[in-house]
Every structure is written in C-alpha cells, then in structure tokens.
Amino acid sequence: MAEVIIYSTTVCPYCVRAKQLLERKGVEYKEINLSKEDPQVRLDLMQRTNHRTVPQIFINEQFIGGFDQLYALEREGKLDELLA
Ligand SMILES: N[C@@H](CCC(=O)N[C@@H](CS)C(=O)NCC(=O)O)C(=O)O
C-alpha cells in the first residue's frame, strides 16, 4: 500500500474533495493539518514544493500537487498505478 500524505488546513474545500476521492477508493492516508502546526512547517513545505495552496498531496514521497492534479490522475487512469 502506498504512503499517501495530505497537507491540509482546517477550512479547505479542496482538501475535503481530495480526501473524499481517496476515501471512495478505499485509500488510507495521513493528514497533516497545517493550521495546527508551527507556521514554519507550512513555509518549509511551500518552499519545497513551490506550490502555494492546499491540499498538497504526496504519494510515496512524490509530490503530486493539489486536488486538481489528483483528480486528473484519476480521470486519466493513472492514480491506481501510483497507489499500488
Ligand atoms: N487548484 C487547487 C486549488 C486549491 C485551493 O484553492 N485551495 C485553497 C483552500 S481550499 C487555498 O489554499 N487557498 C489559499 C490561497 O489561495 O492562498 C487544487 O485543486 O488543489
């Protein structure tokens, strides 16, 4: 089973959509709510990914992007391969 990490914030509709997509597929994930972390965690993440918004999704330490990118992978039939 792939390791899936979602960096989220407390109020974040796109995070909810990403989590729902994964839950529908029966995929377990770890959520790191940046609203509850030291602000430096968010700064470090955004510097690392060069991505400003949340969610920020990693599969097996590979940065996928946000919900749009996750959903695009699913539509293209590529997500299952990444999650295998
Ligand atoms: N296209 C992005 C949209 C993400 C997005 O707009 N996230 C909002 C929260 S739901 C956000 O981070 N807003 C803060 C900002 O734009 O700086 C995705 O699919 O993940």
Side-chain angles (χ1 to χ4, degrees):
M1 190 49 106
E3 181 193 53
V4 181
I5 299 179
I6 299 187
Y7 288 88
S8 66
T9 55
T10 300
V11 180
C12 171
Y14 282 96
C15 302
V16 172
R17 292 174 75 181
K19 289 187 284 181
Q20 283 175 341
L21 193 162
L22 292 171
E23 282 160 20
R24 265 203 314 274
K25 292 177 70 64
V27 174
E28 287 182 25
Y29 59 84
K30 177 179 176 188
E31 179 174 11
I32 299 175
N33 184 336
L34 294 168
S35 306
K36 297 179 180 170
E37 299 289 330
D38 187 292
Q40 190 63 43
V41 174
R42 184 174 190 155
L43 291 173
D44 289 346
L45 176 70
M46 292 190 176
Q47 197 166 34
R48 180 152 63 105
T49 58
N50 202 26
H51 191 90
R52 297 283 134 208
T53 57
V54 283
Q56 296 203 19
I57 302 159
F58 290 80
I59 299 178
N60 289 331
E61 297 184 2
Q62 180 189 343
F63 180 57
I64 299 301
F67 168 73
D68 289 342
Q69 288 75 30
L70 184 73
Y71 187 54
L73 286 170
E74 172 70 345
R75 271 198 330 252
E76 292 161 10
K78 296 178 182 166
L79 186 56
D80 287 345
E81 197 179 310
L82 283 172
L83 292 169

